[in-house]
Amino acid sequence: MQSEPPPSFYPYLCQRFQSLVWSCLDSDLTKTAVFHAERYFAMDRTNHESRHLYATALFREGQTYSALYLVNGPQDEQCTGCLEIKAKCCTALGRHREARDALEATLRDTTYVSSASSSSRISRTFPEEAALRCRSGTTALKGNLTEKASSSFQDALALNPYLWEAFEGLCALGTAPDVDEILPPRPTPIKRTPPEDVPTKSAPVATGAGFFTPDTGNGGNLFRTWKPDITHPQPFRMVPPVGPRDSIATNDSFYPPDNSFQVHRTSRSQPTNLNPIQPVSRPLSSADEAGPVTKKLRSTTSQPEGLKSKSSKSSLDDPLKKARARPALSFANIFSSSGRRSQPTTSSRTNVVPGKSNTQPSTGHIPTRRSSRLLGGNANPKPHSSKHSTRDRRVRQPTHSRNRSTESDKDDGLVPAGEVAYSPSPPSAALSPRSEVSPSPSNWTSAQEQLAQEEYENELAEHYLYELVRGFARATRALAMYDCKKCLDELEQLPHVHQHSCMVIAMVGRAHYETQDFASADRAFKTLRKEEPYRLWDMEVYSSLLWQLQRSVELSFLAQELLSISPRSPQAWIAIGNLFSLQKERQQAMTCFRRAAQLEPTCAYAYTLSGHESIDEDLDKAINFFESALRADARHYNAWYGLGTCYLRMSKIRLAEYHFRKAAEIHPKNAVLLGCVGMAVERRGDREGALALFGEAVRINPQNALVRYRRAKIYIAMRRYQPAVEDLEYLRNATPEESNVVFQLAKVYRLVGNVLKSAQTLAAARDISPKSMSKIKKLLETVKDEGDDKMDEG
């Protein structure tokens, strides 16, 4: 879907990431900051700026050891910023001597300036509305106010689609809509192009009389065919236009609300960019220019009233466009990479016409400035007096103020003969003062080309970031819905650099664990531990995986490491509890799980594991634990499964089936849950329904031996021996040491009358389990298709 970010827009992407991360940190949305900082760091692990941001976000989230691991590399790779963050981490961990050494090393470098301390990064004193709604949804989620939480999260995403915590909250609630609905796709940016493909009839025609006669097809208006394209940025506007526009920062206001693309800007560049827009009160668009403004110093020329109004408007618009052009070019340099100065073309224009941008909004001073330029000998209006009489006979619409501005330039004699050329973007006609003294073949200047390229690269960076968030959102939603195959497919579609990030590796491990592909999950979690050895997130799943694999040594090592990293983390105590459970020490395991629940009351997994530990001793106590887990997380399917197991053991078949079905609704791709539903359905006498459920479970996970074995037993009870033989032979090849499978296969051969194969199978069963002679004698008494529906519970 995406490719490596080209170097052309990578600086803009870096600035966007920096602005986004800092705005999230300022709003206390630390999880969102960690998400975007990890995306930034994954793109270039050698970039110290991304390393600092990622470490800062982890530190603010409470992952102190992980933050210290990022900045505590070899001494020759540490910069002053790394040392400063190291000092913070060491102070939080109580390593005060190491913190002092790091601070002393920081003080030796007096020239280092971080972007975080730059005067251009403004910290908000109060969060924006989207951040407040996201935090409101998080608190509502923890308070079991699901409807209010869902509403707050959706409102937050509508205001700011980059709030990752809001989308994760919707996924946790199970109410996340389709990604295309909540994060609709955006079109690929298109770069503005120079006017090569303009129709030739729009060009003026020279008559040799010292002026141009426009083509009559346009009614005397050189730019009648031009229409402002609102889908492209209009970079020379210093105020918002009347209609919608796509600004350089892709936000509705002139300055991005999260201080986008200002991280690398030095304080020296701020006055030149801020001053020109301070006194602006309204936009100068065609809709605002309906009222006439009297034009001064034109008493020598007689004009009709309508033309005077249009000419005076043109005289107002022309210097304004020139004044707008220069600040826009200077402002565009903010979006360049760190330390980038204004281009020579821009600075030379500022030197030619100093102070124009500061007088832009004042209409009273514009005619005086224009007259001073006329008196300075820049142009002579008298030779063009005949042109006005020609234009007086033209009837023009009172719109397209930029067209009138260009005509006014010719009326005032500011444009020598042979200079004016058609451009699809009329504001560029007043871009450079050099056009008044030297002819050029086109008004598309190098500065405009540079600005168009910067706008295009900036839009590409924003598009890349938005599509990246959409890709992660699709994978996260699929994992929350337990559609693990789709989740893995979506992760494979991510850009290659992000596929090796820790978040993606953790999602891969969880997806394989949910599909009971324990070998693949184990490889993923081992890679995750290698990439981030101090990670606490997702370690409770890894400890349960090691419990399933019966690896007590690795589980013991993991539990000790997690406890040394954070003794107050629930993940550490869950790992210790799983270790005691694996060693059949249930009381110690219950104590550890209870400790985990005390440290994190919303940790549903701790309650669920406590219920599973007590299910063999006290069913009522186990039910209480499972219900506590559901109060913490209503979508925790393990708790629904535990309740179903308890009720099945209490012979409450209807209640058991209800809870098993609730678990299967949350995780419809789990073969074990479908098998449990089939078992409850079979217990209430519906063998056909149970057979259908077991068949669906086998289709989802053909390698699951338990559901295939139960299906074979139902086939035997229904006297459908041939499919039963197929299932049992499959199980015998998969698990040749399982004695129950061999006994059932011998029984089926005996029922179908195949005495030879039955005897061979019984001999194999005797070799596998010599203590099962009583079962063998019972099987020898079985006659061909005796019709007993009673199944062997062995």
Side-chain angles (χ1 to χ4, degrees):
M1 179 181 68
Q2 296 283 353
S3 59
E4 297 283 344
S8 59
F9 72 84
Y10 179 69
Y12 300 88
L13 190 60
C14 293
Q15 295 173 24
R16 187 68 179 98
F17 271 124
Q18 292 167 11
S19 173
L20 191 57
V21 171
W22 281 116
S23 64
C24 293
L25 290 176
D26 293 338
S27 302
D28 290 332
L29 300 177
T30 52
K31 290 185 179 179
T32 304
V34 169
F35 171 77
H36 292 293
E38 186 180 6
R39 307 282 71 73
Y40 183 24
F41 179 67
M43 297 186 69
D44 186 7
R45 295 175 183 262
T46 61
N47 185 356
H48 276 255
E49 195 63 45
S50 63
R51 184 183 299 271
H52 299 163
L53 272 181
Y54 190 25
T56 302
L58 288 172
F59 177 75
R60 295 276 292 273
E61 179 57 21
Q63 307 297 313
T64 310
Y65 275 96
S66 296
L68 181 61
Y69 177 74
L70 280 175
V71 297
N72 195 22
Q75 189 172 3
D76 56 344
E77 296 181 2
Q78 292 182 356
C79 67
T80 305
C82 295
L83 293 174
E84 195 270 336
I85 299 175
K86 178 182 176 181
K88 288 183 181 179
C89 296
C90 291
T91 302
L93 296 174
R95 304 177 183 178
H96 300 293
R97 293 186 179 181
E98 292 185 32
R100 180 195 175 277
D101 294 339
L103 289 175
E104 290 295 327
T106 304
L107 292 174
R108 299 190 192 103
D109 187 2
T110 59
T111 61
Y112 177 79
V113 177
S114 174
S115 65
S117 60
S118 175
S119 60
S120 63
R121 198 188 79 80
I122 303 174
S123 177
R124 288 186 178 85
T125 57
F126 194 77
E128 60 181 4
E129 180 185 354
L132 293 176
R133 290 188 180 275
C134 181
R135 287 161 54 185
S136 174
T138 303
T139 54
L141 175 62
K142 293 182 178 180
N144 283 331
L145 302 174
T146 55
E147 294 183 0
K148 294 182 178 180
S150 177
S151 176
S152 297
F153 285 142
Q154 292 189 18
D155 292 342
L157 286 174
L159 294 171
N160 187 348
Y162 299 114
L163 295 184
W164 185 250
E165 289 177 55
F167 188 81
E168 279 191 331
L170 289 176
C171 292
L173 289 169
T175 59
D178 189 74
V179 175
D180 290 338
E181 178 182 346
I182 197 168
L183 298 173
R186 296 178 179 176
T188 305
I190 301 176
K191 181 181 176 182
R192 287 193 301 126
T193 56
E196 279 87 2
D197 55 348
V198 179
T200 56
K201 69 173 187 177
S202 298
V205 180
T207 60
F211 60 92
F212 282 94
T213 302
D215 185 11
T216 57
N218 286 332
N221 193 339
L222 289 176
F223 303 108
R224 179 175 298 278
T225 58
W226 178 81
K227 299 288 184 182
D229 188 0
I230 62 174
T231 61
H232 293 281
Q234 300 187 20
F236 303 110
R237 284 191 182 271
M238 296 301 292
V239 292
V242 176
R245 69 177 174 86
D246 187 9
S247 66
I248 295 178
T250 69
N251 290 330
D252 292 337
S253 60
F254 185 76
Y255 286 100
D258 54 353
N259 299 312
S260 300
F261 314 111
Q262 299 183 23
V263 176
H264 290 288
R265 184 178 60 190
T266 61
S267 59
R268 291 189 296 271
S269 64
Q270 287 180 352
T272 59
N273 296 325
L274 296 177
N275 288 342
I277 69 165
Q278 295 298 329
V280 175
S281 60
R282 67 182 180 88
L284 271 175
S285 62
S286 59
D288 293 331
E289 297 176 1
V293 178
T294 306
K295 183 175 180 181
K296 298 181 181 181
L297 298 179
R298 299 292 293 169
S299 59
T300 58
T301 305
S302 176
Q303 289 180 332
E305 186 62 24
L307 189 55
K308 283 184 179 181
S309 174
K310 296 175 183 177
S311 301
S312 61
K313 292 297 175 182
S314 303
S315 65
L316 174 65
D317 197 21
D318 178 53
L320 282 177
K321 288 185 294 182
K322 297 177 181 179
R324 285 196 295 263
R326 282 178 292 276
L329 288 175
S330 178
F331 181 76
N333 291 329
I334 298 172
F335 307 139
S336 61
S337 59
S338 177
R340 183 174 176 179
R341 303 293 299 176
S342 301
Q343 297 298 326
T345 307
T346 305
S347 60
S348 64
R349 288 170 185 162
T350 307
N351 295 332
V352 172
V353 188
K356 271 192 175 185
S357 61
N358 295 332
T359 61
Q360 162 191 333
S362 177
T363 58
H365 296 285
I366 292 176
T368 305
R369 184 175 66 227
R370 188 176 184 84
S371 63
S372 63
R373 188 172 60 191
L374 292 172
L375 294 176
N378 290 340
N380 183 13
K382 290 183 179 181
H384 298 279
S385 60
S386 61
K387 189 174 183 177
H388 300 297
S389 60
T390 303
R391 299 208 171 200
D392 289 345
R393 294 190 296 268
R394 314 255 187 225
V395 180
R396 289 179 296 227
Q397 299 295 330
T399 56
H400 305 297
S401 61
R402 299 188 183 188
N403 303 345
R404 292 197 298 271
S405 173
T406 308
E407 293 173 4
S408 178
D409 287 342
K410 295 188 292 181
D411 291 345
D412 296 336
L414 297 177
V415 183
E419 178 180 340
V420 178
Y422 180 81
S423 171
S425 180
S428 64
L431 180 65
S432 173
R434 292 178 297 178
S435 63
E436 300 177 1
V437 295
S438 61
S440 60
S442 175
N443 286 335
W444 186 267
T445 62
S446 60
Q448 283 181 284
E449 175 64 28
Q450 175 196 344
L451 184 60
Q453 181 66 23
E454 289 180 354
E455 291 174 5
Y456 176 63
E457 292 174 356
N458 172 43
E459 292 172 0
L460 283 178
E462 187 73 16
H463 182 74
Y464 178 91
L465 177 59
Y466 186 75
E467 289 298 321
L468 186 63
V469 172
R470 278 170 43 84
F472 273 95
R474 285 191 294 267
T476 303
R477 182 181 181 275
L479 184 60
M481 298 295 111
Y482 297 101
D483 190 352
C484 300
K485 184 179 183 302
K486 182 179 178 182
C487 174
L488 295 174
D489 293 339
E490 292 292 344
L491 292 176
E492 290 180 358
Q493 299 299 321
L494 292 174
H496 185 69
V497 291
H498 296 284
Q499 292 182 13
H500 299 281
S501 62
C502 293
M503 178 181 178
V504 173
I505 298 174
M507 292 178 68
V508 170
R510 292 176 68 96
H512 285 304
Y513 176 78
E514 294 296 343
T515 56
Q516 299 182 358
D517 186 0
F518 296 145
S520 300
D522 182 50
R523 289 194 297 269
F525 279 112
K526 283 183 178 179
T527 305
L528 179 63
R529 293 273 298 162
K530 184 178 180 180
E531 290 290 326
E532 191 174 345
Y534 297 98
R535 184 184 180 94
L536 292 174
W537 295 321
D538 307 301
M539 288 300 104
E540 73 278 6
V541 180
Y542 186 35
S543 64
S544 296
L545 172 65
L546 294 177
W547 185 93
Q548 295 283 353
L549 296 175
Q550 304 289 302
R551 297 180 182 176
S552 58
V553 176
E554 295 182 27
L555 183 56
S556 175
F557 178 73
L558 175 67
Q560 294 182 33
E561 280 206 329
L562 295 179
L563 190 64
S564 63
I565 292 172
S566 178
R568 299 185 61 83
S569 65
Q571 294 89 348
W573 289 101
I574 287 176
I576 298 172
N578 280 329
L579 177 62
F580 282 123
S581 175
L582 188 59
Q583 295 173 351
K584 307 300 181 183
E585 300 180 13
R586 293 183 177 177
Q587 291 303 321
Q588 289 84 348
M590 291 280 296
T591 302
C592 295
F593 294 144
R594 190 179 302 112
R595 176 62 174 162
Q598 290 174 351
L599 291 172
E600 183 57 60
T602 60
C603 182
Y605 199 41
Y607 296 109
T608 300
L609 292 176
S610 299
H612 283 301
E613 286 301 317
S614 58
I615 198 172
D616 292 330
E617 298 177 354
D618 191 345
L619 287 176
D620 293 331
K621 189 177 181 180
I623 289 175
N624 289 333
F625 279 123
F626 291 133
E627 290 177 346
S628 298
L630 291 178
R631 280 192 291 270
D633 182 7
R635 296 190 72 250
H636 193 60
Y637 73 90
N638 290 286
W640 291 103
Y641 164 75
L643 285 173
T645 304
C646 292
Y647 289 123
L648 190 64
R649 292 191 179 189
M650 296 168 67
S651 296
K652 297 181 179 180
I653 307 302
R654 292 290 183 180
L655 282 174
E657 182 182 350
Y658 169 79
H659 288 88
F660 283 142
R661 287 191 181 276
K662 290 289 290 185
E665 287 176 5
I666 298 172
H667 195 343
K669 301 298 179 66
N670 192 310
V672 175
L673 294 178
L674 289 177
C676 291
V677 177
M679 194 165 52
V681 171
E682 178 195 354
R683 289 281 293 272
R684 64 177 174 83
D686 187 2
R687 289 180 178 174
E688 290 293 340
L691 185 61
L693 288 167
F694 285 130
E696 178 67 16
V698 171
R699 187 189 64 80
I700 292 175
N701 189 359
Q703 288 79 29
N704 192 296
L706 180 61
V707 293
R708 191 180 287 270
Y709 178 71
R710 292 190 180 278
R711 187 175 72 168
K713 292 181 71 175
I714 289 186
Y715 279 138
I716 295 173
M718 298 175 67
R719 297 182 177 86
R720 297 171 61 178
Y721 301 122
Q722 187 58 37
V725 169
E726 294 176 359
D727 281 343
L728 291 173
E729 286 287 359
Y730 178 91
L731 291 173
R732 184 183 182 184
N733 295 329
T735 56
E737 301 298 324
E738 182 59 47
S739 60
N740 286 328
V741 173
V742 179
F743 282 127
Q744 288 294 330
L745 185 60
K747 180 181 178 180
V748 174
Y749 282 137
R750 192 81 175 177
L751 290 172
V752 298
N754 195 338
V755 181
L756 178 60
K757 281 195 173 182
S758 176
Q760 293 175 347
T761 308
L762 286 176
R766 185 184 58 186
D767 294 339
I768 295 173
S769 179
K771 297 180 181 181
S772 301
M773 292 301 298
S774 60
K775 280 188 176 183
I776 295 175
K777 290 180 180 179
K778 185 178 179 180
L779 285 176
L780 289 175
E781 297 174 358
T782 304
V783 295
K784 178 180 178 181
D785 194 9
E786 61 186 11
D788 58 338
D789 292 342
K790 186 177 179 180
M791 292 185 296
D792 186 6
E793 297 297 332

